Amino acid sequence: STLYAEPNAIASENEAEEPPVATAFDIKVAVLGGRQAGKSTVLNAFFQEQFADSSRSGVNYYALSRERTDEKQHIVHLPDKDSTLTVGKTGKEVSEHHFDVELSSDILKDMRDDARLVFVDVPAFFPEGSHYLDYLERQWDEMDCAIV
């Protein structure tokens, strides 16, 4: 007799598929470095296409998605999620831009269904006194880890 069976082996073939699990939380990865350090190059290598754009001013949030309509990668700008924060003693504004990135590769195949990986591309925050450094200090607790 079988003591253990895979859960899918027990389920009826006639059962309806469960609806997709909604994202319960984001894992935010800050990508940090000096000017021309290769932050966007690293992201583009991960995305396997040129999505990250160092010419766009502000902080860019790239939320990776397993969902796609075809075999190509897509990036969708979400302007309704964009915002501007006033930071530091000087009161400078920092723009935040939000993008959904649909990947055609299996990069995310082993990731939990209830989590979403979000890369946060922060422009160079050197030298001391940069408004991006002020931004990073303000938002640091929102980040889960960093690539420097």
Side-chain angles (χ1 to χ4, degrees):
S1 73
T2 303
L3 296 176
Y4 176 78
E6 291 293 328
N8 290 343
I10 297 172
S12 166
E13 290 181 11
N14 295 331
E15 279 186 34
E17 286 188 35
E18 291 184 30
V21 177
T23 302
F25 64 96
D26 289 341
I27 300 170
K28 292 183 183 171
V29 180
V31 181
L32 311 172
R35 184 179 305 272
Q36 301 295 317
K39 298 177 298 294
S40 294
T41 301
V42 167
L43 287 175
N44 288 330
F46 185 81
F47 299 156
Q48 299 177 344
E49 194 164 316
Q50 187 164 350
F51 288 145
D53 182 3
S54 59
S55 67
R56 187 182 300 112
S57 65
V59 177
N60 297 306
Y61 285 73
Y62 297 99
L64 305 188
S65 171
R66 292 183 196 95
E67 303 296 324
R68 62 184 182 279
T69 56
D70 54 36
E71 291 303 312
K72 293 184 178 181
Q73 278 118 217
H74 299 279
I75 184 167
V76 178
H77 181 214
L78 305 170
D80 57 319
K81 289 187 174 183
D82 288 354
S83 60
T84 302
L85 297 177
T86 303
V87 296
K89 296 174 185 161
T90 61
K92 289 197 174 186
E93 292 185 342
V94 173
S95 298
E96 293 179 321
H97 308 283
H98 293 262
F99 301 89
D100 274 344
V101 179
E102 299 173 347
L103 298 177
S104 64
S105 65
D106 289 333
I107 292 171
L108 303 174
K109 68 178 179 169
D110 294 326
M111 190 153 171
R112 291 173 46 159
D113 289 338
D114 62 344
R116 183 172 65 164
L117 189 58
V118 179
F119 285 103
V120 183
D121 188 4
V122 181
F125 56 90
F126 303 111
E128 187 71 27
S130 162
H131 61 290
Y132 290 115
L133 180 58
D134 293 338
Y135 173 87
L136 194 56
E137 287 174 354
R138 178 177 172 175
Q139 298 295 98
W140 188 250
D141 289 340
E142 297 294 317
M143 306 303 161
D144 296 296
C145 61
I147 299 172
V148 182

